[in-house]
Amino acid sequence: MPLRRLSAVRKAVPIWPISGVAKKKWLKTIVPLPYGIPSHDTFSTVFRHLDPDAFDAAFRRLTASFAQGLEGVVAIDGKAVRGAYRRAAKATPLHFVNVWAAGPGLVIGQKLAPGRNEVQGALDALALLALEGSIVTADALHCRPDTARAILAAGGDYALALKANQPGLLAQALARIEDAGHVESIQIAAETAHDRIETRRASVVAAGDINFPGLQAIGCVETTSRHTNGHLTSHVRYFLLSTTMSPSALIEVVRTHWQIENNLHWVLDVHFREDAARNRKDNGPQNIAFLRKIALNHLRSHPDKASIRRKIKKAGWDDEFLTSLIAHMR
């Protein structure tokens, strides 16, 4: 067929939810669908006008077995949905704060950062969670008294990154480490990753008298990297801790925090194409973001050992697997 005619045919084809049409027979085993597969506009209208607070409550009920009595590391971090911007506002897309439970590998919370205020979004998310037995990690933006109080009020402990955005606290922490002199430290064996060999050394110093809510200790982690060209780089990170832990435990907590980037944000962008999504009106972006995280939780909690990408493909090909995927987490 000539390219001109092929182009005309493509323009003439209506835009239908192709996946829904392909799965119509299977879908009718779950819902009647007397009027067929809803159109793109119908889905858009529903998600734009659905109350995100009600959807959030349903999302938390779905993950209630994981959100209650969590143990281990719970990471908090913000993420912009880069495609969710209005015309002439490309530089300021919508911003969400995500809460990630590293133990089960599930998302347990999401809040819109109002006016791109990530701190307020984190406070709103923390207010809805029960965090007994968990250690909450966050970057230096959240190293604030109000965030620390919110974590403690939820029953958790914190390990908050401390940087120069809190100069007073940082100066006190450095002075406390210097005054402590020789402290217990641990050096982790060298590991090879990303064409470099990394060695980590950590120490923990008591600091209960520094004026910060619930503060018990200062943690220090020094990472030395030897690159393939022989070049050495080193950097030191500091953390405020509401509970005293061993240096080896500190290293594990600090490294576990990055799961939220590697196992959540990267997956959302690569497998769910979140940054490419153009939902931007009314409540649509927030509700669709909830839907992505529900889907990801289902995929991760299913006992099949395949990767996320393979599970998604298998769900499209195999109706029996798709049914087991949806029924697994109720």
Side-chain angles (χ1 to χ4, degrees), residues 230-306:
H231 183 61
L232 279 176
T233 59
S234 179
H235 66 278
V236 182
R237 291 171 291 167
Y238 302 97
F239 300 88
L240 301 186
L241 309 174
S242 66
T243 181
T244 302
M245 62 182 72
S246 67
S248 58
L250 174 61
I251 289 176
E252 186 63 26
V253 167
V254 170
R255 297 191 68 189
T256 302
H257 172 78
W258 292 106
Q259 284 190 21
I260 194 170
E261 292 289 352
N262 300 328
N263 295 351
L264 176 58
H265 295 169
W266 186 87
V267 172
L268 288 173
D269 284 337
V270 173
H271 296 309
F272 290 85
R273 295 179 59 81
E274 183 169 80
D275 270 351
R278 289 292 288 132
N279 313 89
R280 59 194 179 279
K281 293 184 178 180
D282 303 320
N283 299 326
Q286 191 168 354
N287 288 325
I288 293 295
F290 274 128
L291 200 60
R292 292 189 198 100
K293 293 178 176 70
I294 290 172
L296 180 57
N297 281 354
H298 276 68
L299 290 163
R300 284 204 181 278
S301 64
H302 194 276
D304 191 291
K305 299 301 182 183

Side-chain angles (χ1 to χ4, degrees), residues 185-196:
S185 64
I186 186 170
Q187 185 165 334
I188 300 298
E191 299 177 352
T192 303
H194 305 290
D195 294 327
R196 61 180 181 266

